[in-house]
């Protein structure tokens, strides 16, 4: 049984398909482990054995009847708690939605159900995905399986800790400025943000509509590719979803090769400000690639200097509008002050009680950025920076096939270290933000342990818009180089989670 | 709340220049809502035509109704507007319990149509060219009912109830540029403008166009400035104007109210006012500030609307005739007097008369029917003439029977009553009720002889030139024949008798 | 040097319907001031003729046909409501009128 939980999703899928194990066995293994160890990592906010196992049972029955719904049929999955599910609460990590059970499934949840993947539970996250450490969750922080005193990244720290702690073989996350990729880097796992529009956002509780994307959180590149194949595709419910399919990522992964590959290294994201161990892991990645005959080119993206600033104007602005609907009337928390309050006061009191400090900060900041008189200087200018970033990337991609950067400037920091310094927290996303601003795909794969603290580091692969397949191919190649060196994925080096730790 | 002091209207017009601006919201009659597939229907049980999208549930996203875009383009074209080659939706952010997302998805600086004009004719025959600033697409809010207050209005209400069935219904907002120089005609012009919009959208069948149902709503802006001053005065915006008449009355009231204040050296508060049709005044609502910060920004969940010119042209080609042009054309074709034509238009009878003429009736006869007997019947039943249970074809048939002498006027009215009472088609009613002009002259003559014998001396009087004496005999014959005779023929026969 | 005054914070909080205490106002003014100073740099990055990007990938004319689809039942619609009556969402008295 303990072997099952360290298997990759694709391995599990094969075992289920050949009927060596059942989906119920696999789901039970992960569910029981999750139930037993969740108190250590707080990966999950909601766990329901019945719904998980009944879905697993249905998957087994379908398979017995000759119906295999996908390449991941029967493999259990964890889902970030900002994706609506009709059979579990969906809180987005906030008190304002405590206990809210949606009346509809998000499109990606519909797809994974239809693909035969039982849902183990809903995972913890920074409130409304605002954060990079999961310390802003209203339900408590998630913890990094590598060191339970450290953050597992955010906003998707629940998914990343679940996957890296083997509480789930794979998970769904969302990424607005790095919320899948940063957690992947600091937990030694794999996380991908597809091209904007590749995956439907219908049913994803919106943070910044023009930046959000749903993506896979896994331990291997192949698993991520398989999961993206399940969830991607045009959705008529999402007017921003791409009309055409981007092809199969899993197929791309199987056909990856080095020859002719040109890799760019972004001048603005390769030296100062990165932890020494992170930098040396990155340098190691580059030198491995060079040994394979890959051409390495330094590219100049000057607008990247303004990406964090632009992001922290665009995100709060869009979020302030997206979060206006939380007003106590149709769903969610209602707080009525004493006396005969007007609805205005009920709304204000509800939002005061229901939103955490980071959310309030960003809503007020966003309201400011959109205010008349300030729009041009702030939101308007930030949208122009996006254009410049796209131009810089277009220019870069005319010289190279993919760009590589360290995914994160540091390894996992300690819980509490940056929580009172919003600006310091914002800088965690410095390398991941440009991809969201430009809409291009990005993913992180592990590239070693930092020498000074023995904690995981990740390398980020960026590809042009709609070239997700290319990104997966390069990711697979890099992953291959490391698993050859280590004999196993990086995650095998993680200290095991044991009940009683922490 | 009492009526405020007013200056005499004529005096106000003498002292001040009136500037008006009208914002008309047209509710489109698409089958589904603007951004979701919920039904766009009136009168359903509360909150039964709602879904995650129009309820503003977390995670829901809008999807644009193509027919709504088409109708919006059609309205823009009918108003002589340019259609924007590149337009976007924008979020208008404010909090209100009837606004599910607490923002309205609307359009800001990239409306679908802009720079148009509409010629509006008023009763004295003058035509004003009203310039249209823009027409843009947006969604309606839910419906609020206020409970517990004395008047059912917000003030003093204990709580409110929200029904989101209407939330998300497609609207087109049409905004005029300020209208100068209307002077004393401003109130009527405002009303006539709204009526014109209503007629246009009704003719195009993009809206049910029933003001009493809120399909067409008007906000009237009014400001005054001393004669000769260039700078515009402070304006007020009056809402809740639910009929053409209310538009006229509200504009008139605001002119008088503002004039009184300005004349005494006071100043007008820029605010939204609420029209009370029953009491005939406006009351102050929320102070309106152009600093009402809606924080507009392009809607990130929707992509730009870039209508291809081939699409726009095909919409243009399918537009029905402009109602005003149509009216001019019909007036010329039918040769009515101005007054006669106005009666038809004001009674909303144009379509019915046109259809009756098309079915073969002369225009004058058609007019007489619809403005006369049929309007009378409609009023008696508290219906509009459109709702009467008789078709223009049936009216034409009845008239043709009068023309051929098979029915007298009186009998024809009976046939109409029978059709309205659902006794069947005109022919069936005639059959059932035995309504036929007696053409058997033998029976007629017998009846005349009988009546004459009862009234000797009538023939004598007629021979003496007192032709009107025939009347009593005619009456008697009519009664004897159950009214089923052509009185004119009876008279003829009597006079022939007298001559012999 | 930042223009985020406590009064501005109160105004913004009111616009966004969030109740804030005096302490919070002070704190927010400080925090936001620092953030705004740092993000104000975007102004320097752009000159007048750069077109703003509001959609990362250029798309247009995404429409759906005018067809009626499934709706929620009244019960489902009201299922999340804190208060309801007569098939409608119930809210406390509204302050202003529109």
């Amino acid at each position: 049984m303990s072997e099952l939980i360290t298997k990759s999703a694709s391995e599990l899928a094969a075992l289920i398909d050949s009927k060596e194990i059942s989906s119920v066995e696999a789901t039970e293994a992960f569910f029981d482990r999750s139930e037993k160890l969740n108190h250590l990592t707080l990966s999950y906010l909601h766990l329901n054995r019945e719904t998980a196992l009944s879905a697993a049972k249905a998957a087994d029955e379908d398979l017995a009847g000759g119906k295999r719904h996908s390449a991941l049929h029967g493999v259990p999955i964890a889902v970030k708690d900002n994706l609506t599910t009709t059979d579990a609460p969906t809180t987005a990590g906030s008190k304002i939605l405590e206990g809210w059970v949606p009346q509809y499934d998000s499109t990606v949840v519909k797809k994974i159900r239809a693909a035969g993947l039982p849902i183990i539970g809903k995972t913890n996250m920074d409130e409304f995905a605002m954060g990079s450490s999961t310390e802003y969750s209203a339900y408590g922080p998630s913890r990094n399986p590598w060191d339970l005193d450290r953050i597992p990244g955010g906003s998707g720290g629940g998914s990343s800790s679940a996957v890296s702690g083997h509480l789930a073989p794979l998970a769904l996350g969302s990424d607005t400025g790095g919320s899948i990729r940063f957690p992947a880097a600091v937990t030694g796992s794999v996380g991908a943000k597809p091209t904007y529009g590749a995956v439907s956002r219908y049913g994803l509780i919106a943070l910044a509509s023009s930046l959000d994307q749903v993506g896979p959180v896994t331990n291997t590149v192949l698993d991520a590719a398989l999961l993206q194949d399940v969830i991607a595709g045009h959705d008529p419910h999402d007017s921003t979803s791409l009309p055409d399919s981007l092809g199969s990522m899993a197929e791309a992964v199987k056909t990856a090769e080095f020859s002719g590959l040109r890799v760019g290294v972004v001048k603005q994201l390769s030296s100062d400000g990165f932890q020494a161990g992170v930098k040396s892991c990155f340098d190691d990645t580059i030198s491995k690639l060079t040994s394979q005959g890959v051409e390495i080119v330094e590219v100049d993206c000057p607008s990247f200097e303004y990406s964090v600033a632009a992001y922290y104007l665009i995100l709060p602005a869009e979020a302030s509008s997206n979060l206006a609907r939380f007003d106590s009337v149709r769903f969610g928390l209602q707080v009525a002050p004493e006396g005969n309050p007007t609805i205005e006061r009920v709304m204000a009191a509800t939002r005061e009680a229901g939103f955490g400090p980071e959310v309030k900060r960003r809503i007020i900041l966003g309201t400011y950025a959109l205010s008349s008189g300030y729009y041009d200087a702030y939101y308007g200018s930030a949208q122009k920076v996006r254009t410049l970033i796209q131009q810089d990337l277009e220019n870069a991609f005319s010289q190279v096939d993919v760009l590589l950067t360290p995914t994160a400037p540091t390894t996992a920091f300690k819980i509490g270290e940056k929580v009172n310094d919003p600006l310091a927290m914002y800088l965690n996303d410095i390398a991941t933000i440009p991809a969201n601003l430009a809409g291009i795909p990005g993913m992180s794969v592990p590239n070693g342990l930092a020498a000074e603290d023995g904690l995981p580091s990740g390398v980020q692969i960026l590809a042009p818009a709609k070239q997700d397949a290319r990104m997966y191919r390069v990711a697979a190649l890099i992953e291959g180089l490391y698993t050859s060196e280590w004999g196993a994925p990086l995650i095998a080096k993680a200290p095991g989670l044991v009940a009683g730790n922490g | 709340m009492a009526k405020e002091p007013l200056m005499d209207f004529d005096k106000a017009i003498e002292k001040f220049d009136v500037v008006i601006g009208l914002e008309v919201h047209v509710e489109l009659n698409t089958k589904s809502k603007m951004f979701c597939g919920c039904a766009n229907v009136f009168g359903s049980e509360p909150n039964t035509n709602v879904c995650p999208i129009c309820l503003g549930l977390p995670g829901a996203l809008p999807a644009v109704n193509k027919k709504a875009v088409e109708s919006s383009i059609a309205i823009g074209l009918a108003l002589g507007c340019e259609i924007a080659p590149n337009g976007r939706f924008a979020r208008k952010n404010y909090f209100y319990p009837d606004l599910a997302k607490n923002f309205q998805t609307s359009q800001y600086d990239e409306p679908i149509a802009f720079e148009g004009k509409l010629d509006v004719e008023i009763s004295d025959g003058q035509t004003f060219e009203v310039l249209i600033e823009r027409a843009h697409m947006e969604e309606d809010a839910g419906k609020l009912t206020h409970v517990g207050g004395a008047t059912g209005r917000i003030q003093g209400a204990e709580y409110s109830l929200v029904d989101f069935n209407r939330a998300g219904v497609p609207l087109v907002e049409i905004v005029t540029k300020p209208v100068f120089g209307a002077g004393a005609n401003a109130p009527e012009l405002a009303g006539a403008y709204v009526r014109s919009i209503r007629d246009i959208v009704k003719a195009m069948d993009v809206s049910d166009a029933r003001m009493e149902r809120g399909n067409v709503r008007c906000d009237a802006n009014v400001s005054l400035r001393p004669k000769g001053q260039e700078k515009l005065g402070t304006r007020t915006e009056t809402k809740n104007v639910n009929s053409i008449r209310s538009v006229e009355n509200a504009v008139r009231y605001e002119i008088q109210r503002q004039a009184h204040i300005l004349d005494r050296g006071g100043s007008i508060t820029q605010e939204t006012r609420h029209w009370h049709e029953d009491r005939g005044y406006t009351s102050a609502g929320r102070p309106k500030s152009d600093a009402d910060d809606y924080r507009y920004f392009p809607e990130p969940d929707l992509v730009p609307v870039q209508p291809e010119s081939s699409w726009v042209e095909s919409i243009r080609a399918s537009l029905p005739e402009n109602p005003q042009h149509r009216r001019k054309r019909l007036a010329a074709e039918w040769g009515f007097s101005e007054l006669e034509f106005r009666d038809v238009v004001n009674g909303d009878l144009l379509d019915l008369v046109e259809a009756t003429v098309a079915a073969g009736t002369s225009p004058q006869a058609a007019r007489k029917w619809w403005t006369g007997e049929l309007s009378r019947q409609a009023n008696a039943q508290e219906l509009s003439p459109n709702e009467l249970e008789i078709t223009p074809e049936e009216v034409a048939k009845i008239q043709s029977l009068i023309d051929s002498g098979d029915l007298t006027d009186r009998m024809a009215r009976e046939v109409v009553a029978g059709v309205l009472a659902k006794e069947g088609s005109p022919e069936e009613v005639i059959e059932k009720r035995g309504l036929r002009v007696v053409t058997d002259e033998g029976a007629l003559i017998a009846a005349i002889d009988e009546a004459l014998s009862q009234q000797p001396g009538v023939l004598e009087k007629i021979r003496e030139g007192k032709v009107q004496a025939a009347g009593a005999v005619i009456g008697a014959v009519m009664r004897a024949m159950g009214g089923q005779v052509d009185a004119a023929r009876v008279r003829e026969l009597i006079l022939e008798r007298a001559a012999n | 040097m930042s223009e985020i005054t406590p009064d501005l914070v109160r105004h913004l909080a009111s616009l966004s319907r969030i109740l804030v205490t005096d302490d919070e106002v002070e704190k927010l003014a400080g925090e936001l001031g620092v953030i705004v100073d740092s993000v104000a740099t975007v102004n320097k990055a752009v000159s007048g003729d750069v077109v703003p990007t509001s959609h990362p990938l250029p798309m247009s004319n995404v429409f759906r046909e005018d067809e009626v689809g499934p709706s929620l039942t009244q019960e489902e619609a009201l299922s999340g409501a804190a208060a309801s009556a007569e098939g409608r969402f119930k809210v406390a008295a509204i302050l202003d009128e529109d």
Side-chain angles (χ1 to χ4, degrees), chain A residues 103 240 242 306 313 329-331 341-344 348 351-352 361 364 368 377-378 383-384 386-387 390 423, chain C residues 3-4 16-17 19 31-32 34 36 42-43 45-46 50-51 53 56-57 59 76 79-81 89 92-93 95:
Chain A
Q103 287 296 330
T240 61
L242 296 176
Y306 302 100
L313 284 169
V329 175
R330 288 147 289 115
F331 52 84
T342 58
I343 185 61
E344 289 82 4
R351 290 158 67 81
E352 195 284 321
R361 251 195 297 273
I364 291 184
Y368 180 57
Y378 294 130
Q383 296 284 52
K384 291 182 179 180
R386 285 180 92 152
T387 308
Q390 282 190 328
L423 270 182
Chain C
E3 55 234 66
I4 311 281
S16 40
R17 292 287 189 273
L19 200 60
E31 287 167 347
L32 291 176
V34 171
V36 166
V42 288
N43 243 311
V46 289
V50 177
V51 176
T53 296
L57 268 63
M59 283 201 300
E76 287 168 337
S79 66
F89 295 88
L95 181 62

Side-chain angles (χ1 to χ4, degrees), chain A residues 215-428:
Chain A
V217 176
T218 64
N219 282 319
T220 70
V221 173
L222 177 58
D223 285 355
L226 288 165
L227 185 49
Q228 183 159 331
D229 283 349
V230 171
I231 59 175
H234 175 70
D235 182 13
H237 278 114
D238 177 357
S239 300
T240 61
S241 74
L242 296 176
D244 304 315
S245 161
L246 298 181
S248 165
M249 302 302 135
E251 284 311 306
V253 163
K254 291 171 188 162
T255 59
E257 52 176 63
F258 283 108
S259 102
L261 184 63
R262 296 166 305 157
V263 161
V265 169
V266 179
K267 185 166 151 201
Q268 284 76 13
L269 289 175
S270 57
S271 44
D272 306 328
F274 288 86
Q275 182 180 321
V278 165
K279 177 135 185 15
S280 50
C281 283
F282 182 71
D283 290 342
D284 178 58
T285 306
I286 299 301
S287 92
K288 279 181 163 59
L289 288 171
T290 309
S291 322
Q292 294 292 328
V294 172
E295 192 190 330
I296 310 287
V297 178
E298 196 195 45
V299 297
D300 191 14
C301 298
S303 64
F304 277 30
E305 264 184 65
Y306 302 100
S307 56
V308 174
Y311 178 79
Y312 281 101
L313 284 169
I314 293 170
L315 183 150
E318 294 184 6
S320 69
S321 178
N322 284 327
L323 266 58
R325 65 192 65 203
F326 298 94
D327 65 2
S328 85
V329 175
R330 288 147 289 115
F331 52 84
L333 183 71
Q334 183 178 87
V335 169
E338 291 283 317
N340 270 331
T342 58
I343 185 61
E344 289 82 4
R345 287 195 52 224
V346 172
M347 286 184 179
T350 299
R351 290 158 67 81
E352 195 284 321
F355 288 146
E358 181 62 22
V359 170
K360 284 182 198 157
R361 251 195 297 273
R362 296 200 197 186
I363 289 176
I364 291 184
L365 178 57
T367 305
Y368 180 57
L370 291 174
S371 280
S372 68
Y374 299 104
Y375 181 98
D376 287 330
Y378 294 130
Y379 187 72
S381 293
Q383 296 284 52
K384 291 182 179 180
V385 168
R386 285 180 92 152
T387 308
L388 295 178
I389 288 174
Q390 282 190 328
Q391 285 170 1
D392 280 353
L393 284 167
E394 215 180 286
N395 180 39
F397 286 124
S398 71
Q399 305 166 55
V400 297
D401 301 309
V402 295
L403 296 174
L404 293 186
T405 77
T407 307
T410 65
T411 54
F413 46 87
K414 286 211 186 268
I415 289 176
E417 193 178 308
K418 298 191 188 181
V419 82
N420 290 315
D421 189 350
L423 270 182
M425 195 66 92
Y426 296 166
L427 291 172
N428 294 325

